[in-house]
Amino acid sequence: MGIMRPESLFALFAPLTTLPGVGPKIAPLAAKAAGGELVRDLAFHLPTGLVDRRYRPKIHEAELGRLCTLEVMVERHQPGAMGRPYKVHVSDDTGFLSLLFFKPHARYLAERLPEGAMRVVSGEVTERYGERQMIHPSRILNLDDPDLGVVFEPVYRSVAGLSHRTLARICGAAAQKAEGLAEWADPALVAREGWQSFGAALMRAHAPDGEDEILPSTPARRRLAYDELFARQIALQLSGAARRRTPGRAIVGTGAYTDALVAALPYQPTHAQSRAFAEIGTDMAAATPMLRLLQGDVGAGKTLVAAWSMARAAEAQMQSALMAPTEILARQHYTGLAPLMAKIGLRLEVLTGKDKASHKRMVLDGLATGAVHAVCGTHALFQQGVVFQQLGLVIVDEQHRFGVADRRRLIDKGFAPHVLAMSATPIPRTLAMAVYGDLDVSRLDEKPPGRAPIKTIAMSLDRLDEVAEAAQRAIEKDDRVFWVCPLVEESDKVDVSAASERFQDLQAMFGDSVRLIHGRMTSKEKDEAMEDFRTGMAKILVATTVIEVGVDVPEASVMVIEHAERFGLAQLHQLRGRVGRGGKPGHCLLLYANPLSEMGARRISKLRETEDGFAIAEEDFKLRGGGDLLGLRQSGIPAFKLADAALHADLLAVAQRDARVLVEADPTLSSPRGLAARLALHLFDQVDPETFLGTG
């Protein structure tokens, strides 16, 4: 499918400065609020609330503390002195009111509120020393102002320096640019749901005429959600079709290495692992390249499945590459897998950017000649000088941490290799369908034997002394302690300062055995702190960023999470899974601030009653919706702008079916509806069928 953008979308993909009233000062603020620099980004920046200006009493009938709109006569101005506010005295036939302004522009106020003029002002009325007041009215209008008829005013997520009124005006102007686009939805569905066109629904979403109009269940919001889900499902259908057309190499196993691998284990694989072996074996034996996602809860044994897959590839004289997002994880995989692979006669090496030149040369020679059967590494694996003799299997660990281009560059080292993506983030089925479509998924939903249970304890932050004592007891037993400080939204300075303070407190107690990791450190500094903790030079690791998923420190037995109520359920579960990995019982201390909200209490209660990551992910999905599951930004799952996979789950099934029917009937999207569907693909950044896991 061509990627030329259709002309009817040019206005939506134009810079924000093409909108009336958006100059070089407002444009960067609007871009920050909307999360993008195009008109389309503002059009998709939907209101989150509503100001209701219908209450229009007289001055002395106005309910104190309630937003009201008053029609008043401007009596006189009283400039403030000595830090006092500037006052404008106004009246109606029931009494007087003072409008108060702090740090005012006197000339501006004289122009907006000339003495003797009638004006309409909006704000909350308060009373002080018997005088009725309104501090900084949110609206000052003339009696003939067209905005006077707007009684419901949408409220948006904004940024400092950009007023809600300005943002509402330019978002509405942006939405108008979507008028008249060709219809891509099934006409029968549009009629059944009573939907307007996409453009009309977008404009309606920006001009709600009541509290209910903000809800995701309104027809306008459901229409927009469907369109976004539909575009993604079409992209996934196209991606799947392209993959099925790509000839690959069938890897038919002999069992020589895989049987030896299982026999060499000191335990029996779980039923879930055996099921994954069978599913992967079947996929690799097909001529179409495998694309499978292996989802395993923390400690569910994904590494063994990776080893089995590498052994299967080696049975057909094919090489494997396992790509991890960090050097620590790449080396950890190597350390865990190399002895097992050597036991069955296979050579595994590690390749990262920090290796010595002599080691790199040795690995590169082995990969080129086929002497190295498998390699674990970081981005170093897809650099120019890396040449494989026969790359047949690519395993991507924590696949969401790599960009599309990264995965593609590694896959291009082979001839249509089979791809296994691994993730320790349990994703609810509904969300998996929304994000990955028909992708084949293997789930490891059992824990291997020998994993100690983790005791989860909830405590008030007031009991920090007791927590420090628990940390002391763990250290005396030569255990390690993770100590996590929460992320504060949009304020990494606050994060760093809070974590630094906690670090200093703990250093005062435990001396040089404490290390700190936060978002402003370089990768090298983080790696060094992590390595000190792993080797035992440090016993306590204080961190703001979520501890690397997959980082394995068997000696860690205590996880302290401050302000646990601020974390998502699935995130708390991921953190908890960092401890209890070395056979010793683990303890997870959830510290919360009082008073604990009902939502916070539910999360903590659910975490205490189960260690099943999939059950927890489903509950998190219900509690938080799909909009920010796990903090989608942290999990790497592409976030939706207009849809919520939890609240619009019924539409997801419809969108998936509609997309499948359309692509099967019109695989090149060249029919009138197919051409309209191309608009949706462009509009929602889905033009490339390789956008998601379809690239590996």
Side-chain angles (χ1 to χ4, degrees):
M1 193 187 82
I3 57 168
M4 287 286 288
R5 185 176 296 132
E7 200 173 326
S8 57
L9 295 179
F10 284 3
L12 281 160
F13 281 84
L16 294 178
T17 46
T18 57
L19 292 171
V22 181
K25 264 178 78 176
I26 286 180
L29 296 172
K32 191 175 177 188
E37 298 175 352
L38 303 173
V39 170
R40 185 271 318 261
D41 299 313
L42 263 187
F44 286 2
H45 188 58
L46 300 185
T48 54
L50 199 67
V51 175
D52 181 347
R53 299 192 189 275
R54 285 177 300 175
Y55 180 50
R56 301 190 62 163
K58 296 283 189 176
I59 288 175
H60 265 273
E61 293 161 1
E63 206 178 299
L64 297 182
R66 180 178 171 187
L67 180 73
C68 62
T69 300
L70 307 171
E71 189 176 317
V72 297
M73 158 85 77
V74 180
E75 299 284 346
R76 64 188 174 87
H77 286 237
Q78 182 185 336
M82 307 287 289
R84 290 186 182 140
Y86 188 109
K87 285 187 180 183
V88 179
H89 297 280
V90 299
S91 67
D92 67 9
D93 56 13
T94 68
F96 294 90
L97 175 81
S98 297
L99 307 178
L100 270 61
F101 300 89
F102 296 88
K103 297 184 181 173
H105 295 287
R107 208 168 83 189
Y108 167 77
L109 289 177
E111 288 171 5
R112 292 291 291 121
L113 293 159
E115 291 179 0
M118 295 297 293
R119 289 291 182 264
V120 173
V121 294
S122 261
E124 287 183 13
V125 174
T126 57
E127 201 165 80
R128 188 179 165 110
Y129 305 128
E131 179 188 59
R132 294 213 146 192
Q133 302 178 333
M134 184 183 285
I135 299 171
H136 281 285
S138 53
R139 248 181 169 192
I140 302 172
L141 302 176
N142 300 341
L143 295 188
D144 59 354
D145 195 308
D147 279 353
L148 207 55
V150 180
V151 291
F152 294 110
E153 208 171 284
V155 176
Y156 296 81
R157 280 193 315 278
S158 192
V159 292
L162 184 63
S163 73
H164 284 292
R165 203 162 166 208
T166 301
L167 188 53
R169 180 177 56 75
I170 60 180
C171 282
Q176 285 178 354
K177 305 290 183 186
E179 272 190 297
L181 293 176
E183 181 59 83
W184 50 71
D186 178 3
L189 173 68
V190 173
R192 190 173 75 239
E193 292 281 343
W195 284 343
Q196 299 170 289
S197 68
F198 172 78
L202 197 57
M203 280 163 49
R204 182 63 184 264
H206 284 286
D209 62 3
E211 293 274 336
D212 292 349
E213 293 282 314
I214 295 294
L215 300 174
S217 54
T218 60
R221 293 278 184 126
R222 279 175 63 79
R223 164 79 221 228
L224 300 176
Y226 169 83
D227 294 323
E228 185 170 24
L229 295 168
F230 181 58
R232 184 164 293 178
Q233 293 302 318
I234 290 175
L236 291 166
Q237 291 294 328
L238 291 171
S239 173
R243 185 166 57 85
R244 286 188 290 274
R245 287 194 302 272
T246 305
R249 292 184 182 178
I251 293 179
V252 181
T254 62
Y257 291 127
T258 48
D259 291 350
L261 179 83
V262 173
L265 295 172
Y267 55 84
Q268 278 295 307
T270 63
H271 292 302
Q273 285 172 322
S274 299
R275 193 170 60 235
F277 297 161
E279 289 165 346
I280 290 165
T282 302
D283 284 1
M284 289 171 75
T288 303
M290 168 176 76
L291 179 58
R292 183 168 284 277
L293 174 66
L294 178 66
Q295 273 192 293
D297 200 357
V298 180
K302 292 183 295 298
T303 311
L304 176 62
V305 178
W308 189 95
S309 309
M310 289 171 163
R312 174 52 50 100
E315 289 172 0
Q317 286 75 53
M318 293 280 187
Q319 292 165 298
S320 307
L322 191 163
M323 184 164 69
T326 65
E327 184 175 352
I328 286 177
L329 287 175
R331 292 196 180 282
Q332 188 172 289
H333 279 303
Y334 171 72
T335 308
L337 288 170
L340 191 56
M341 300 297 265
K343 219 181 245 188
I344 60 170
L346 295 177
R347 182 175 161 200
L348 176 73
E349 292 291 351
V350 63
L351 188 65
T352 71
K354 294 179 186 171
D355 292 326
K356 289 179 180 165
S358 56
H359 174 82
K360 270 186 190 162
R361 258 196 316 276
M362 180 266 291
V363 175
L364 293 178
D365 288 349
L367 290 173
T369 61
V372 171
H373 300 97
V375 62
C376 297
T378 54
H379 295 74
L381 288 177
F382 50 73
Q383 300 312 314
Q384 214 170 356
V386 182
V387 177
F388 292 82
Q389 188 194 48
Q390 283 276 44
L391 179 61
L393 172 67
V394 170
I395 302 173
V396 187
D397 188 27
E398 292 308 316
Q399 58 83 23
H400 59 257
R401 302 274 294 277
F402 293 96
V404 169
D406 291 348
R407 296 195 294 261
R408 172 56 53 200
R409 280 161 69 191
L410 179 56
I411 287 162
D412 285 348
K413 297 279 182 190
F415 172 76
H418 297 280
V419 177
L420 179 66
M422 302 200 299
S423 176
T425 304
I427 301 168
R429 289 185 192 281
T430 311
L431 194 60
M433 184 167 85
V435 175
Y436 301 130
D438 290 335
L439 176 79
D440 300 314
V441 178
S442 291
R443 280 185 159 202
L444 298 183
D445 45 16
E446 301 169 64
K447 284 194 180 176
R451 281 302 301 266
I454 301 166
K455 190 172 183 185
T456 305
I457 302 159
M459 300 170 75
S460 161
L461 271 164
D462 306 337
R463 296 167 64 188
L464 264 177
D465 291 352
E466 293 173 51
V467 178
E469 286 168 20
Q472 178 68 54
R473 287 194 297 274
I475 289 171
E476 284 167 2
K477 289 189 280 185
D478 203 30
D479 288 357
R480 313 274 153 77
V481 179
F482 283 111
W483 195 299
V484 178
C485 299
L487 281 165
V488 180
E489 193 68 35
E490 291 177 2
S491 178
D492 58 346
K493 283 183 190 164
V494 179
D495 296 341
V496 171
S497 119
S500 299
E501 277 178 36
R502 180 64 66 232
F503 170 64
Q504 285 160 10
D505 293 344
L506 292 170
Q507 242 188 352
M509 286 185 235
F510 300 107
D512 191 39
S513 64
V514 191
R515 294 291 181 278
L516 171 68
I517 287 184
H518 60 67
R520 295 193 158 198
M521 290 164 69
T522 64
S523 295
K524 184 172 182 276
E525 288 169 334
K526 284 186 207 169
D527 282 353
E528 283 171 2
M530 194 72 223
E531 190 60 19
D532 283 355
F533 184 63
R534 211 170 57 77
T535 57
M537 277 183 67
K539 303 293 185 190
I540 299 179
L541 184 71
V542 180
T544 54
T545 49
V546 174
I547 312 293
E548 292 291 1
V549 171
V551 168
D552 201 357
V553 182
E555 296 80 8
S557 68
V558 178
M559 169 65 69
V560 178
I561 305 172
E562 287 195 43
H563 285 288
E565 75 279 3
R566 293 188 195 169
F567 291 85
L569 240 183
Q571 210 175 3
L572 289 170
H573 176 66
Q574 286 286 320
L575 288 169
R576 174 171 66 177
R578 297 297 106 228
V579 298
R581 299 169 77 91
K584 292 181 178 180
H587 289 81
C588 179
L589 308 180
L590 304 173
L591 308 185
Y592 59 84
N594 284 314
L596 186 58
S597 69
E598 188 188 339
M599 175 79 86
R602 272 182 73 182
R603 280 185 198 152
I604 287 171
S605 168
K606 183 71 182 176
L607 205 69
R608 291 188 66 195
E609 72 188 42
T610 182
E611 283 190 51
D612 179 343
F614 291 102
I616 282 168
E618 293 286 354
E619 179 71 11
D620 204 22
F621 193 55
K622 285 181 209 153
L623 288 176
R624 288 152 63 106
D628 193 33
L629 179 84
L630 250 190
L632 286 183
R633 293 178 298 282
Q634 288 145 13
S635 71
I637 296 167
F640 292 109
K641 275 271 194 181
L642 307 177
D644 183 311
L647 300 174
H648 298 123
D650 64 318
L651 292 176
L652 174 56
V654 176
Q656 193 175 44
R657 187 195 61 223
D658 286 358
R660 188 181 295 123
V661 168
L662 176 61
V663 172
E664 281 173 4
D666 180 15
T668 58
L669 297 185
S670 47
S671 66
R673 190 175 165 211
L675 292 171
R678 289 184 183 217
L679 295 179
L681 288 172
H682 281 275
L683 201 53
F684 292 103
D685 291 331
Q686 307 294 317
V687 285
D688 183 355
E690 296 170 354
T691 301
F692 301 108
L693 256 151
T695 63

